[in-house]
Each structure stands twice: as structure tokens, then as C-alpha cells.
Amino acid sequence: MAAFTVLHVCMGNICRSPMAERLLARAVRDRTGEQGDQLVHSVSAGTGGWHEGEEMNPPAARQVKARGGSDTGFEARKLRGDFIDEADLVLTATADQYDYVIALRPDAAARTFVTGEFGRLLRAVDASALPAAEPEPEAVRARGIAIVAAVRELRGDDAPLPSDDLDDPWGRGDQTFQRVGDEIEDTTVPFAKLLLP
């Protein structure tokens, strides 16, 4: 069975979503070592597509490296429907990007969240109700799917809060990138801990 796949989505796929992609991968490796890449597949794409093939924006790359992640081999790509189809969880930087994902793939609504929304609701998930945590792809994927279902149930019919959005740091200083990196880790680190206790 394939690894549990998380797709991070922003506009250009050079700042927020690559930071989230690489910071989740780092949080998973912190818990599992190099085996993490076989357990959780963290990828990203942008709704805009005009930066396709570009490297991560330098201040975003600096944040990733400063937090122990890697920017090596990253190339921006345009969001496609099949990327959504392959994902067990889709995390968007903003509510507008959530709407874009759902317009492209309406059946993905139950597994698509704004990043801050997912992190906020994740705190209320009952870990004791989840499948057992074992360092095997099938077990991790089953636990991840159960976490997504629990967060979806906690969300109910509520819309994301404006504060759930990640500000676009493009063209802004390192301080803004640092704050956005902190906000991303407010979701990725607790998620990795719950997924891989």
C-alpha cells in the first residue's frame, strides 16, 4: 500500500506550500528517521502555475533549512486534478485555495482543509480512538485516514476562520517568512506527533 500522502497547496508553489511540504517531511523524519519517506509522502503544488519548474523562493528555503528541513531538489508545479486524487489529505494555505481545490475535485471536500483550520481542529482529536500506531505504511496510512475523518467530523458544517489562512509572504521580509513558518509548524508538528506517536 502507498504511503499516506499529504498535498500542500498555495498560489505560486514557491513559498508557503513548499515550506509546508518540507517542514512536514522534516517533522515525520524527526519521529521515524529516514524511514519517514516511505510512511508519509509530503508534496505540494500551486493554483497559479506561473512559477512551474522554479526553485523555492530564497527566504522560504532559508526558513526550511533553519528548521532542519531540506530545499534540495524542489521544483514548483501547477496543481492538477490527479495530484488531488492521489492525496489522502489536502492542506491549502487559504480558504480561496480550498475553494479552488473543491472546484477542481468536489469529491475531495472531506479531505481538504485550510492549513490553520486543520491544525486548530487537530487539537481536539481523541488519540485513543485512532487505529494503533505502527511504523508500517499500511498502519500509518490507516491512522492518517482516521485522523482526517476525525478532523472532518470536528469541522462539521463550519467554515474556516479568517485566522486559519497563511499570509502570502512573497516579496516580504524574513520576519514574515519566519511567522508563516511558525504557523505551518503549528499544524505539521502536532500532526506528525499524532500520526507517528
Side-chain angles (χ1 to χ4, degrees):
M1 188 183 283
F4 181 80
T5 300
V6 183
L7 172 64
H8 306 272
V9 177
C10 72
M11 189 182 299
N13 193 216
I14 56 169
C15 296
R16 292 167 290 181
S17 58
M19 287 170 70
E21 170 191 324
R22 296 303 174 94
L23 290 174
L24 176 59
R26 193 229 59 227
V28 166
R29 275 196 306 277
D30 285 351
R31 307 198 66 73
T32 63
E34 291 307 312
Q35 182 191 10
D37 296 339
Q38 282 110 43
L39 301 175
V40 178
H41 192 206
S42 185
V43 296
S44 63
T47 57
W50 50 84
H51 293 290
E52 254 189 314
E54 288 183 24
E55 296 179 346
M56 207 180 299
N57 189 241
R62 282 197 294 276
Q63 281 300 314
V64 169
K65 289 188 281 192
R67 296 164 192 264
S70 169
D71 66 333
T72 305
F74 180 82
E75 284 188 16
R77 58 189 194 154
K78 166 96 167 101
L79 181 66
R80 299 190 327 227
D82 58 313
F83 297 166
I84 300 168
D85 296 340
E86 292 162 6
D88 298 299
L89 170 62
V90 181
L91 295 175
T92 67
T94 67
D96 285 347
Q97 286 139 16
Y98 170 91
D99 292 342
Y100 187 102
V101 168
I102 302 313
L104 206 53
R105 286 292 191 269
D107 62 337
R111 55 192 164 86
T112 303
F113 303 85
V114 177
T115 299
E117 172 194 31
F118 188 80
R120 176 170 52 80
L121 296 172
L122 190 67
R123 295 181 207 126
V125 171
D126 178 5
S128 68
L130 299 172
E134 297 171 27
E136 298 295 329
E138 306 82 31
V140 171
R141 187 155 188 262
R143 188 172 172 93
I145 288 168
I147 291 169
V148 171
V151 173
R152 179 181 67 233
E153 191 171 322
L154 288 164
R155 174 172 66 186
D157 295 326
D158 294 343
L161 303 175
S163 58
D164 292 331
D165 280 6
L166 297 171
D167 283 343
D168 188 351
W170 167 256
R172 295 160 81 181
D174 281 337
Q175 217 171 359
T176 304
F177 278 88
Q178 183 169 359
R179 177 172 52 79
V180 170
D182 290 345
E183 290 170 3
I184 288 168
E185 288 197 314
D186 285 345
T187 294
T188 57
V189 172
F191 178 53
K193 286 180 176 173
L194 187 60
L195 185 62
L196 302 153

